[in-house]
Amino acid sequence: MTYTSMETNLDQTFDPNRTSSYEEEFKWLKWIPLILEIVILSVGMMNLLSATGVEDKSLGLWKNQAVSIGLGTVVTLILQFPHYSFLSRLAYLIYIGNMGLLIAVLAFGKSSLGAKRWINLGGFSLQPSELMKLSMVIFLAKYFENKNTTQGMKLTDLIVPSLFVVIPVSFIIVQPDLGTAMIILLVYGSMLLFLKIQPKILLLLSVVAAISLPVVYNYGLKPYQRQRIITFIDPMSDPKGAGYNSIQSMIAVGSGQLWGKGFKKGTQAHLNFLPEHHTDFIFSVFSEEWGFIGCSVLLLLYGLFIMSGLSVAYQSNDKFASLLAFGIVSIFFWHVFVNMGMVMGMLPIVGVPLPFLSYGGSALLTAMSGVAILVNIANKKYMF
């Protein structure tokens, strides 16, 4: 039997007669997400070594990232043993536990650069908002697992899941962490489209969103966040203030030209013109040193990774696995899209790291856990 639509893939019953043919046809795809993760991680470690090679003589950040990769590898191995269905049984507990961590951040979290996003766990700073991206996908996959969505969801069908999305997003915005909150909302919207929404409801939501934008801009954003939008439209309106990061980032990207300046030869990062060049603007460092050709190769790797993840979602034989895989892929897609758009001046600057390249333990552990779940689904999709 051949899948003819997204809905038939999600709601069909398992047919054991096709197991052997699918196993043979897609056998080589099982480990592709993990292989591509390793390749991009290698590129990321090399790029981080270059980005931090001047001001960080001890290579402390590079070593910290290596430790995070080690922890992520352990998590990856652990997640390969159980069947992915254990996440369905624990979905609500995972959500509640992550909400507890978000509350703990507000109560006794660690502040840095004007934001309160981290919990200190004996030398390791945990960022619960990063974990909530994956927790939310697991929760939504569980919630919609037994819901019939083939006819399209009505507005009443969206009230409960939207409430469970808005609550953690509100806590994350308070930290403030607008970038993570935005990613969670984008992933939620992507999963709803994957499930199917009635066209009239989709139109209604689009109209409400358009009307809400001026209200959110004037009353929901902090002054510095509104200034970021203004400088996105015209960075030269405040070249030494709010527009500085965007201008320096675009200079770095453009100065790489076709082939780049070479490994450790980028000037924007090494002369400290480019701020946060080991986290949010790590792609600027890569662009300057490896140019258009290098960026094209990196974008191809991300594209292959996302396509391999979508193939896992498409080939899965139960609704929970399909939703879970698609939600995880959505996280990666929106991270890459927003970060690269931000760095090249095509989107306003928000705190969104680039998967496997940006420095950050919590973000890396979340990304590696997501890949581990994808591989688990790919290898156990015929086991119940």
PDB file of all heavy atoms in Angstrom, residues 188-216:
ATOM      1  N   TYR A 188       4.604  24.528  17.207  1.00  0.00           N
ATOM      2  CA  TYR A 188       3.201  24.193  17.462  1.00  0.00           C
ATOM      3  C   TYR A 188       2.356  24.429  16.214  1.00  0.00           C
ATOM      4  O   TYR A 188       1.551  23.577  15.814  1.00  0.00           O
ATOM      5  CB  TYR A 188       2.685  25.038  18.630  1.00  0.00           C
ATOM      6  CG  TYR A 188       1.213  24.845  18.943  1.00  0.00           C
ATOM      7  CD1 TYR A 188       0.666  23.569  19.069  1.00  0.00           C
ATOM      8  CD2 TYR A 188       0.367  25.942  19.130  1.00  0.00           C
ATOM      9  CE1 TYR A 188      -0.680  23.394  19.373  1.00  0.00           C
ATOM     10  CE2 TYR A 188      -0.971  25.774  19.434  1.00  0.00           C
ATOM     11  CZ  TYR A 188      -1.490  24.495  19.549  1.00  0.00           C
ATOM     12  OH  TYR A 188      -2.821  24.324  19.842  1.00  0.00           O
ATOM     13  N   GLY A 189       2.558  25.565  15.574  1.00  0.00           N
ATOM     14  CA  GLY A 189       1.826  25.860  14.340  1.00  0.00           C
ATOM     15  C   GLY A 189       2.136  24.854  13.242  1.00  0.00           C
ATOM     16  O   GLY A 189       1.237  24.428  12.503  1.00  0.00           O
ATOM     17  N   SER A 190       3.401  24.433  13.139  1.00  0.00           N
ATOM     18  CA  SER A 190       3.787  23.448  12.123  1.00  0.00           C
ATOM     19  C   SER A 190       3.109  22.110  12.371  1.00  0.00           C
ATOM     20  O   SER A 190       2.629  21.457  11.431  1.00  0.00           O
ATOM     21  CB  SER A 190       5.314  23.267  12.134  1.00  0.00           C
ATOM     22  OG  SER A 190       5.969  24.480  11.840  1.00  0.00           O
ATOM     23  N   MET A 191       3.036  21.703  13.635  1.00  0.00           N
ATOM     24  CA  MET A 191       2.405  20.426  13.967  1.00  0.00           C
ATOM     25  C   MET A 191       0.899  20.468  13.704  1.00  0.00           C
ATOM     26  O   MET A 191       0.304  19.474  13.276  1.00  0.00           O
ATOM     27  CB  MET A 191       2.686  20.056  15.426  1.00  0.00           C
ATOM     28  CG  MET A 191       4.148  19.749  15.696  1.00  0.00           C
ATOM     29  SD  MET A 191       4.496  19.267  17.416  1.00  0.00           S
ATOM     30  CE  MET A 191       3.753  17.615  17.447  1.00  0.00           C
ATOM     31  N   LEU A 192       0.276  21.622  13.929  1.00  0.00           N
ATOM     32  CA  LEU A 192      -1.156  21.747  13.637  1.00  0.00           C
ATOM     33  C   LEU A 192      -1.418  21.629  12.140  1.00  0.00           C
ATOM     34  O   LEU A 192      -2.394  20.994  11.716  1.00  0.00           O
ATOM     35  CB  LEU A 192      -1.689  23.086  14.162  1.00  0.00           C
ATOM     36  CG  LEU A 192      -1.767  23.253  15.683  1.00  0.00           C
ATOM     37  CD1 LEU A 192      -2.348  24.621  16.028  1.00  0.00           C
ATOM     38  CD2 LEU A 192      -2.601  22.145  16.330  1.00  0.00           C
ATOM     39  N   LEU A 193      -0.557  22.232  11.337  1.00  0.00           N
ATOM     40  CA  LEU A 193      -0.712  22.116   9.883  1.00  0.00           C
ATOM     41  C   LEU A 193      -0.477  20.682   9.424  1.00  0.00           C
ATOM     42  O   LEU A 193      -1.136  20.201   8.499  1.00  0.00           O
ATOM     43  CB  LEU A 193       0.253  23.068   9.181  1.00  0.00           C
ATOM     44  CG  LEU A 193      -0.038  24.563   9.340  1.00  0.00           C
ATOM     45  CD1 LEU A 193       1.062  25.388   8.691  1.00  0.00           C
ATOM     46  CD2 LEU A 193      -1.393  24.925   8.741  1.00  0.00           C
ATOM     47  N   PHE A 194       0.441  20.002  10.053  1.00  0.00           N
ATOM     48  CA  PHE A 194       0.715  18.603   9.736  1.00  0.00           C
ATOM     49  C   PHE A 194      -0.506  17.732  10.045  1.00  0.00           C
ATOM     50  O   PHE A 194      -0.844  16.813   9.296  1.00  0.00           O
ATOM     51  CB  PHE A 194       1.921  18.137  10.552  1.00  0.00           C
ATOM     52  CG  PHE A 194       2.329  16.711  10.292  1.00  0.00           C
ATOM     53  CD1 PHE A 194       2.927  16.363   9.102  1.00  0.00           C
ATOM     54  CD2 PHE A 194       2.143  15.736  11.257  1.00  0.00           C
ATOM     55  CE1 PHE A 194       3.323  15.047   8.861  1.00  0.00           C
ATOM     56  CE2 PHE A 194       2.532  14.423  11.032  1.00  0.00           C
ATOM     57  CZ  PHE A 194       3.133  14.078   9.832  1.00  0.00           C
ATOM     58  N   LEU A 195      -1.183  18.066  11.140  1.00  0.00           N
ATOM     59  CA  LEU A 195      -2.375  17.314  11.536  1.00  0.00           C
ATOM     60  C   LEU A 195      -3.575  17.646  10.652  1.00  0.00           C
ATOM     61  O   LEU A 195      -4.425  16.812  10.397  1.00  0.00           O
ATOM     62  CB  LEU A 195      -2.719  17.621  12.996  1.00  0.00           C
ATOM     63  CG  LEU A 195      -1.842  16.928  14.041  1.00  0.00           C
ATOM     64  CD1 LEU A 195      -1.967  17.628  15.386  1.00  0.00           C
ATOM     65  CD2 LEU A 195      -2.215  15.464  14.175  1.00  0.00           C
ATOM     66  N   LYS A 196      -3.688  18.884  10.235  1.00  0.00           N
ATOM     67  CA  LYS A 196      -4.763  19.409   9.382  1.00  0.00           C
ATOM     68  C   LYS A 196      -5.760  20.232  10.195  1.00  0.00           C
ATOM     69  O   LYS A 196      -6.321  19.785  11.184  1.00  0.00           O
ATOM     70  CB  LYS A 196      -5.520  18.294   8.646  1.00  0.00           C
ATOM     71  CG  LYS A 196      -6.474  18.841   7.570  1.00  0.00           C
ATOM     72  CD  LYS A 196      -7.143  17.706   6.811  1.00  0.00           C
ATOM     73  CE  LYS A 196      -8.083  18.220   5.757  1.00  0.00           C
ATOM     74  NZ  LYS A 196      -8.773  17.161   5.012  1.00  0.00           N
ATOM     75  N   ILE A 197      -5.966  21.449   9.749  1.00  0.00           N
ATOM     76  CA  ILE A 197      -6.940  22.370  10.330  1.00  0.00           C
ATOM     77  C   ILE A 197      -7.955  22.727   9.264  1.00  0.00           C
ATOM     78  O   ILE A 197      -7.609  22.859   8.089  1.00  0.00           O
ATOM     79  CB  ILE A 197      -6.256  23.664  10.841  1.00  0.00           C
ATOM     80  CG1 ILE A 197      -5.141  23.331  11.833  1.00  0.00           C
ATOM     81  CG2 ILE A 197      -7.263  24.596  11.521  1.00  0.00           C
ATOM     82  CD1 ILE A 197      -4.385  24.545  12.318  1.00  0.00           C
ATOM     83  N   GLN A 198      -9.199  22.891   9.668  1.00  0.00           N
ATOM     84  CA  GLN A 198     -10.223  23.294   8.712  1.00  0.00           C
ATOM     85  C   GLN A 198      -9.844  24.640   8.096  1.00  0.00           C
ATOM     86  O   GLN A 198      -9.401  25.546   8.800  1.00  0.00           O
ATOM     87  CB  GLN A 198     -11.582  23.399   9.399  1.00  0.00           C
ATOM     88  CG  GLN A 198     -12.156  22.069   9.837  1.00  0.00           C
ATOM     89  CD  GLN A 198     -13.539  22.207  10.459  1.00  0.00           C
ATOM     90  OE1 GLN A 198     -14.048  23.319  10.646  1.00  0.00           O
ATOM     91  NE2 GLN A 198     -14.152  21.073  10.774  1.00  0.00           N
ATOM     92  N   PRO A 199      -9.982  24.800   6.771  1.00  0.00           N
ATOM     93  CA  PRO A 199      -9.556  26.036   6.095  1.00  0.00           C
ATOM     94  C   PRO A 199     -10.138  27.302   6.701  1.00  0.00           C
ATOM     95  O   PRO A 199      -9.438  28.306   6.839  1.00  0.00           O
ATOM     96  CB  PRO A 199     -10.053  25.824   4.656  1.00  0.00           C
ATOM     97  CG  PRO A 199     -10.094  24.346   4.478  1.00  0.00           C
ATOM     98  CD  PRO A 199     -10.487  23.790   5.814  1.00  0.00           C
ATOM     99  N   LYS A 200     -11.410  27.285   7.091  1.00  0.00           N
ATOM    100  CA  LYS A 200     -12.027  28.497   7.652  1.00  0.00           C
ATOM    101  C   LYS A 200     -11.407  28.854   9.001  1.00  0.00           C
ATOM    102  O   LYS A 200     -11.275  30.040   9.345  1.00  0.00           O
ATOM    103  CB  LYS A 200     -13.536  28.324   7.776  1.00  0.00           C
ATOM    104  CG  LYS A 200     -13.976  27.181   8.683  1.00  0.00           C
ATOM    105  CD  LYS A 200     -15.497  27.086   8.725  1.00  0.00           C
ATOM    106  CE  LYS A 200     -15.954  25.943   9.631  1.00  0.00           C
ATOM    107  NZ  LYS A 200     -17.438  25.826   9.662  1.00  0.00           N
ATOM    108  N   ILE A 201     -11.012  27.822   9.765  1.00  0.00           N
ATOM    109  CA  ILE A 201     -10.364  28.075  11.056  1.00  0.00           C
ATOM    110  C   ILE A 201      -8.966  28.636  10.830  1.00  0.00           C
ATOM    111  O   ILE A 201      -8.522  29.557  11.532  1.00  0.00           O
ATOM    112  CB  ILE A 201     -10.294  26.785  11.893  1.00  0.00           C
ATOM    113  CG1 ILE A 201     -11.707  26.225  12.122  1.00  0.00           C
ATOM    114  CG2 ILE A 201      -9.603  27.048  13.216  1.00  0.00           C
ATOM    115  CD1 ILE A 201     -12.639  27.190  12.820  1.00  0.00           C
ATOM    116  N   LEU A 202      -8.267  28.101   9.827  1.00  0.00           N
ATOM    117  CA  LEU A 202      -6.930  28.610   9.503  1.00  0.00           C
ATOM    118  C   LEU A 202      -6.998  30.068   9.065  1.00  0.00           C
ATOM    119  O   LEU A 202      -6.159  30.890   9.464  1.00  0.00           O
ATOM    120  CB  LEU A 202      -6.316  27.744   8.404  1.00  0.00           C
ATOM    121  CG  LEU A 202      -4.863  28.037   8.030  1.00  0.00           C
ATOM    122  CD1 LEU A 202      -3.944  27.873   9.229  1.00  0.00           C
ATOM    123  CD2 LEU A 202      -4.418  27.110   6.896  1.00  0.00           C
ATOM    124  N   LEU A 203      -7.997  30.410   8.273  1.00  0.00           N
ATOM    125  CA  LEU A 203      -8.181  31.790   7.841  1.00  0.00           C
ATOM    126  C   LEU A 203      -8.492  32.691   9.030  1.00  0.00           C
ATOM    127  O   LEU A 203      -7.949  33.798   9.151  1.00  0.00           O
ATOM    128  CB  LEU A 203      -9.311  31.870   6.814  1.00  0.00           C
ATOM    129  CG  LEU A 203      -9.671  33.263   6.297  1.00  0.00           C
ATOM    130  CD1 LEU A 203      -8.473  33.899   5.601  1.00  0.00           C
ATOM    131  CD2 LEU A 203     -10.869  33.189   5.356  1.00  0.00           C
ATOM    132  N   LEU A 204      -9.354  32.212   9.932  1.00  0.00           N
ATOM    133  CA  LEU A 204      -9.715  32.984  11.119  1.00  0.00           C
ATOM    134  C   LEU A 204      -8.486  33.257  11.986  1.00  0.00           C
ATOM    135  O   LEU A 204      -8.266  34.396  12.457  1.00  0.00           O
ATOM    136  CB  LEU A 204     -10.775  32.244  11.926  1.00  0.00           C
ATOM    137  CG  LEU A 204     -11.180  32.865  13.273  1.00  0.00           C
ATOM    138  CD1 LEU A 204     -11.808  34.241  13.061  1.00  0.00           C
ATOM    139  CD2 LEU A 204     -12.135  31.940  14.025  1.00  0.00           C
ATOM    140  N   LEU A 205      -7.676  32.233  12.207  1.00  0.00           N
ATOM    141  CA  LEU A 205      -6.475  32.388  13.022  1.00  0.00           C
ATOM    142  C   LEU A 205      -5.487  33.353  12.381  1.00  0.00           C
ATOM    143  O   LEU A 205      -4.827  34.133  13.073  1.00  0.00           O
ATOM    144  CB  LEU A 205      -5.815  31.027  13.244  1.00  0.00           C
ATOM    145  CG  LEU A 205      -6.600  30.018  14.090  1.00  0.00           C
ATOM    146  CD1 LEU A 205      -5.867  28.678  14.131  1.00  0.00           C
ATOM    147  CD2 LEU A 205      -6.820  30.542  15.499  1.00  0.00           C
ATOM    148  N   SER A 206      -5.404  33.323  11.047  1.00  0.00           N
ATOM    149  CA  SER A 206      -4.509  34.241  10.336  1.00  0.00           C
ATOM    150  C   SER A 206      -4.956  35.694  10.509  1.00  0.00           C
ATOM    151  O   SER A 206      -4.132  36.592  10.725  1.00  0.00           O
ATOM    152  CB  SER A 206      -4.459  33.881   8.841  1.00  0.00           C
ATOM    153  OG  SER A 206      -4.012  32.566   8.649  1.00  0.00           O
ATOM    154  N   VAL A 207      -6.269  35.916  10.430  1.00  0.00           N
ATOM    155  CA  VAL A 207      -6.812  37.263  10.609  1.00  0.00           C
ATOM    156  C   VAL A 207      -6.563  37.755  12.034  1.00  0.00           C
ATOM    157  O   VAL A 207      -6.145  38.900  12.261  1.00  0.00           O
ATOM    158  CB  VAL A 207      -8.314  37.288  10.281  1.00  0.00           C
ATOM    159  CG1 VAL A 207      -8.930  38.636  10.664  1.00  0.00           C
ATOM    160  CG2 VAL A 207      -8.538  37.005   8.801  1.00  0.00           C
ATOM    161  N   VAL A 208      -6.804  36.884  13.026  1.00  0.00           N
ATOM    162  CA  VAL A 208      -6.582  37.245  14.435  1.00  0.00           C
ATOM    163  C   VAL A 208      -5.119  37.575  14.676  1.00  0.00           C
ATOM    164  O   VAL A 208      -4.785  38.547  15.366  1.00  0.00           O
ATOM    165  CB  VAL A 208      -7.038  36.099  15.358  1.00  0.00           C
ATOM    166  CG1 VAL A 208      -6.606  36.371  16.797  1.00  0.00           C
ATOM    167  CG2 VAL A 208      -8.547  35.922  15.292  1.00  0.00           C
ATOM    168  N   ALA A 209      -4.224  36.776  14.085  1.00  0.00           N
ATOM    169  CA  ALA A 209      -2.792  37.025  14.246  1.00  0.00           C
ATOM    170  C   ALA A 209      -2.391  38.369  13.642  1.00  0.00           C
ATOM    171  O   ALA A 209      -1.619  39.128  14.239  1.00  0.00           O
ATOM    172  CB  ALA A 209      -1.994  35.898  13.600  1.00  0.00           C
ATOM    173  N   ALA A 210      -2.933  38.681  12.466  1.00  0.00           N
ATOM    174  CA  ALA A 210      -2.613  39.957  11.807  1.00  0.00           C
ATOM    175  C   ALA A 210      -3.101  41.144  12.634  1.00  0.00           C
ATOM    176  O   ALA A 210      -2.415  42.166  12.755  1.00  0.00           O
ATOM    177  CB  ALA A 210      -3.226  39.975  10.414  1.00  0.00           C
ATOM    178  N   ILE A 211      -4.309  41.016  13.209  1.00  0.00           N
ATOM    179  CA  ILE A 211      -4.857  42.093  14.035  1.00  0.00           C
ATOM    180  C   ILE A 211      -4.068  42.242  15.332  1.00  0.00           C
ATOM    181  O   ILE A 211      -3.896  43.362  15.852  1.00  0.00           O
ATOM    182  CB  ILE A 211      -6.349  41.820  14.335  1.00  0.00           C
ATOM    183  CG1 ILE A 211      -7.158  41.855  13.032  1.00  0.00           C
ATOM    184  CG2 ILE A 211      -6.897  42.823  15.339  1.00  0.00           C
ATOM    185  CD1 ILE A 211      -8.613  41.472  13.207  1.00  0.00           C
ATOM    186  N   SER A 212      -3.563  41.113  15.842  1.00  0.00           N
ATOM    187  CA  SER A 212      -2.872  41.131  17.137  1.00  0.00           C
ATOM    188  C   SER A 212      -1.464  41.709  17.053  1.00  0.00           C
ATOM    189  O   SER A 212      -0.920  42.160  18.069  1.00  0.00           O
ATOM    190  CB  SER A 212      -2.797  39.714  17.706  1.00  0.00           C
ATOM    191  OG  SER A 212      -4.084  39.165  17.867  1.00  0.00           O
ATOM    192  N   LEU A 213      -0.866  41.701  15.865  1.00  0.00           N
ATOM    193  CA  LEU A 213       0.521  42.134  15.739  1.00  0.00           C
ATOM    194  C   LEU A 213       0.770  43.547  16.270  1.00  0.00           C
ATOM    195  O   LEU A 213       1.727  43.765  17.027  1.00  0.00           O
ATOM    196  CB  LEU A 213       0.971  42.020  14.277  1.00  0.00           C
ATOM    197  CG  LEU A 213       1.264  40.608  13.774  1.00  0.00           C
ATOM    198  CD1 LEU A 213       1.627  40.629  12.300  1.00  0.00           C
ATOM    199  CD2 LEU A 213       2.386  39.964  14.580  1.00  0.00           C
ATOM    200  N   PRO A 214      -0.052  44.550  15.894  1.00  0.00           N
ATOM    201  CA  PRO A 214       0.188  45.897  16.437  1.00  0.00           C
ATOM    202  C   PRO A 214       0.044  45.951  17.956  1.00  0.00           C
ATOM    203  O   PRO A 214       0.781  46.684  18.627  1.00  0.00           O
ATOM    204  CB  PRO A 214      -0.894  46.757  15.749  1.00  0.00           C
ATOM    205  CG  PRO A 214      -1.288  45.983  14.537  1.00  0.00           C
ATOM    206  CD  PRO A 214      -1.167  44.549  14.918  1.00  0.00           C
ATOM    207  N   VAL A 215      -0.908  45.173  18.496  1.00  0.00           N
ATOM    208  CA  VAL A 215      -1.110  45.158  19.948  1.00  0.00           C
ATOM    209  C   VAL A 215       0.107  44.564  20.655  1.00  0.00           C
ATOM    210  O   VAL A 215       0.594  45.093  21.658  1.00  0.00           O
ATOM    211  CB  VAL A 215      -2.389  44.352  20.299  1.00  0.00           C
ATOM    212  CG1 VAL A 215      -2.572  44.290  21.812  1.00  0.00           C
ATOM    213  CG2 VAL A 215      -3.603  44.970  19.628  1.00  0.00           C
ATOM    214  N   VAL A 216       0.588  43.427  20.116  1.00  0.00           N
ATOM    215  CA  VAL A 216       1.763  42.781  20.698  1.00  0.00           C
ATOM    216  C   VAL A 216       2.981  43.691  20.600  1.00  0.00           C
ATOM    217  O   VAL A 216       3.770  43.803  21.544  1.00  0.00           O
ATOM    218  CB  VAL A 216       2.031  41.432  19.989  1.00  0.00           C
ATOM    219  CG1 VAL A 216       3.360  40.841  20.458  1.00  0.00           C
ATOM    220  CG2 VAL A 216       0.890  40.467  20.240  1.00  0.00           C
TER     221      VAL A 216
END
